[in-house]
Amino acid sequence: MSTVGNSTNIFWHECPVGKSERQKLLNQKGCVVWITGLSGSGKSTLACSLNRELYSKGKLSYVLDGDNLRHGLNKDLGFKVEDRTENIRRVGEVAKLFADSGLICIASLISPYRKDRDACRALLPESFIEVFMNMPLEVCEARDAKGLYKLARAGKITGFTGIDDPYEPPLKCEIELSYKDGVCPTPVAMAGKVVSYLEEKGFLEEDKERN
Ligand SMILES: Nc1ncnc2c1ncn2[C@@H]1O[C@H](COP(=O)(O)OS(=O)(=O)O)[C@@H](OP(=O)(O)O)[C@H]1O
Ligand SMILES: Nc1ncnc2c1ncn2[C@@H]1O[C@H](COP(=O)(O)OP(=O)(O)O)[C@@H](O)[C@H]1O
């Protein structure tokens, strides 16, 4: 019996099929690929490209996209500091469950605050892969796929990340995808870099040590 947060008298119930069995079934290791960056930096594009690339290799992944989750699970949250923190906390917990299910969970959220991303990493220290979309603000703003930068510059949206709300880049991350010499890598090239990392670290094969 234990107490967690505001819940008292609660019990952990163990299920008969464990993570290693699920991973064996899927021939992969559950993990979280956490994509962070400014609005318009290409997070969703990379998430979709990676999802497709993994599928073509017979690997099961699932995308948790910030914008999409705000249509349901997180529709009660806005963009104040504490709302963004709660948004990231919830997605971190959901991502942990997906990883436990054996899936490669791809989370794509601005996740602007370092401490919130670090809290998600702490949930899964061995299988958290942070991918930083290091694209200049000018490039993201020029893309302005949703017209939000224009609204933010006109003062019609306040607290917009990169304009009048901060983005804290990672100090250390597993993968950094950068805009160099006026060129942004293609979505396929970026997905390829993440897939190579996952292959190199053994996430795309079953856990032999546990058999
Ligand atoms: N004020 C403000 N700041 C930043 N972004 C805003 C804002 N208002 C709306 N949007 C839209 O919301 C999308 C970001 O949602 P996230 O859940 O990823 O944000 S966060 O991680 O909680 O900061 C983001 O989507 P992406 O462009 O895909 O990043 C925007 O379309
Ligand atoms: N690697 C890329 N090269 C060129 N354009 C891109 C690239 N990645 C994304 N884009 C374009 O930039 C815009 C924003 O991409 P999106 O994935 O929606 O960003 P985010 O999810 O970070 O807001 C879209 O119009 C998309 O087609």
Side-chain angles (χ1 to χ4, degrees):
M1 194 167 27
S2 65
T3 301
V4 179
N6 291 328
S7 302
T8 51
N9 307 326
I10 51 169
F11 300 79
W12 184 268
H13 189 90
E14 210 58 65
C15 288
V17 180
K19 184 177 184 185
S20 60
E21 286 172 279
R22 290 189 287 275
Q23 295 189 143
K24 195 169 178 192
L25 192 69
L26 293 167
N27 195 28
Q28 63 187 43
K29 292 190 197 90
C31 61
V32 176
V33 176
W34 190 280
I35 307 172
T36 174
L38 292 171
S39 176
S41 59
K43 301 181 299 297
S44 305
T45 304
L46 170 60
C48 292
S49 179
L50 178 59
N51 183 229
R52 173 57 63 190
E53 189 61 27
L54 288 169
Y55 180 83
S56 72
K57 288 180 165 293
K59 304 297 166 189
L60 194 55
S61 64
Y62 191 80
V63 177
L64 298 177
D65 189 272
D67 240 344
N68 293 353
L69 293 172
R70 283 174 176 276
H71 284 78
L73 177 69
N74 295 331
K75 67 179 170 192
D76 57 325
L77 302 174
F79 291 92
K80 290 182 297 189
V81 175
E82 55 273 30
D83 282 6
R84 292 189 200 246
T85 293
E86 175 60 9
N87 184 34
I88 302 314
R89 188 194 70 79
R90 286 184 200 171
V91 180
E93 291 287 353
V94 173
K96 182 182 171 183
L97 294 175
F98 273 89
D100 186 56
S101 79
L103 292 189
I104 297 159
C105 180
I106 305 167
S108 55
L109 298 98
I110 298 179
S111 39
Y113 310 130
R114 211 173 280 137
K115 70 167 179 30
D116 295 341
R117 297 192 301 267
D118 288 348
C120 293
R121 176 187 289 278
L123 295 173
L124 277 174
E126 304 300 318
S127 24
F128 188 87
I129 300 125
E130 190 171 346
V131 180
F132 173 36
M133 305 298 289
N134 189 4
M135 306 297 154
L137 174 64
E138 309 81 71
V139 171
C140 302
E141 194 170 350
R143 287 176 175 166
D144 207 8
K146 300 166 189 160
L148 297 178
Y149 280 103
K150 197 163 173 229
L151 292 175
R153 287 289 184 196
K156 292 183 179 153
I157 299 179
T158 54
F160 195 78
T161 306
I163 304 297
D164 57 348
D165 220 55
Y167 177 81
E168 300 169 356
L171 297 175
K172 194 164 172 266
C173 60
E174 282 69 17
I175 301 172
E176 182 171 335
L177 299 167
S178 308
Y179 181 87
K180 272 193 210 109
D181 305 324
V183 182
C184 179
T186 65
V188 170
M190 293 195 290
K193 197 163 171 190
V194 180
V195 168
S196 299
Y197 181 91
L198 293 173
E199 276 172 343
E200 196 184 303
K201 299 291 176 188
F203 287 108
L204 303 188
E205 58 193 49
E206 66 176 88
D207 198 347
K208 303 244 168 42
E209 280 170 28
R210 287 168 184 259
N211 295 329

